[in-house]
Amino acid sequence: MPCKLVILISGSGSNLQAFIDAANQGELPADIAAVISNRPAAGGLERAAQAGIATAVVDHTGFANRDDFDAALRDTIDSFAPDLVVLAGFMRILGADFVRHFRGRMLNIHPSLLPKYPGLHTHQRAIDAGDTEAGATVHFVTEELDGGPPILQAQVPVKAGDTAELLAARVLEQEHRIYPLAARWFAEGRLTLNGNQAELDDNALPPTGFPFHCVTAD
């Protein structure tokens, strides 16, 4: 049976589209069982519907607290019985109980070279710091925000005169390449979480994840 994915989104779903394309092109041996959003108007829901993928909405504004939202979201995800949960621009902080429930089978992508710049405004922070490189990191999700074991990392140059928007576009192009690849490794049974260590083919990955330099943007 192919690996079954559930993808969580909050916005337009550009990384979701990368997953849809990879699956359609045979580059991702997985079925996208559902796309779930916390925002009813998220554009990615229409992307999913056009691709014939089931959708669901768990609107966070309808819950009195985060625990109740997390519980409803967990139950909705579990109703699709996924092997892997993919956070693709899902803009809600998830509680520790939720994260533990999916530990070892939930991935996120963060637009920085972790451990640098967890949280928000990553591109402007890289520019302000005078960094010559920025990028994106795919990691397992743990209770620490943006602190789970890295899996795969792509670097892009920070160019003279860059704005946060220009840098973000350059990084996003690489996100679309590395995120489906990490999911492919998982679907093939090659990628696992052992304790707090990401492993590929039973070998521990480096502290910053596998370096994906071969597709670095110019």
Side-chain angles (χ1 to χ4, degrees), residues 21-46:
D21 292 344
N24 288 342
Q25 293 162 12
E27 297 172 357
L28 177 61
D31 289 334
I32 304 174
V35 172
I36 301 172
S37 179
N38 64 307
R39 293 176 177 169
L45 293 170
E46 180 60 28

Side-chain angles (χ1 to χ4, degrees), residues 108-114 116-117 119-123 126 134-137 146 168 171-172 175:
N108 185 44
I109 192 163
H110 184 71
S112 79
L113 298 176
L114 292 172
K116 282 189 169 184
Y117 315 128
L120 302 176
H121 311 301
T122 57
H123 307 299
T137 307
D146 299 328
V171 170
L172 188 61
E175 291 186 30

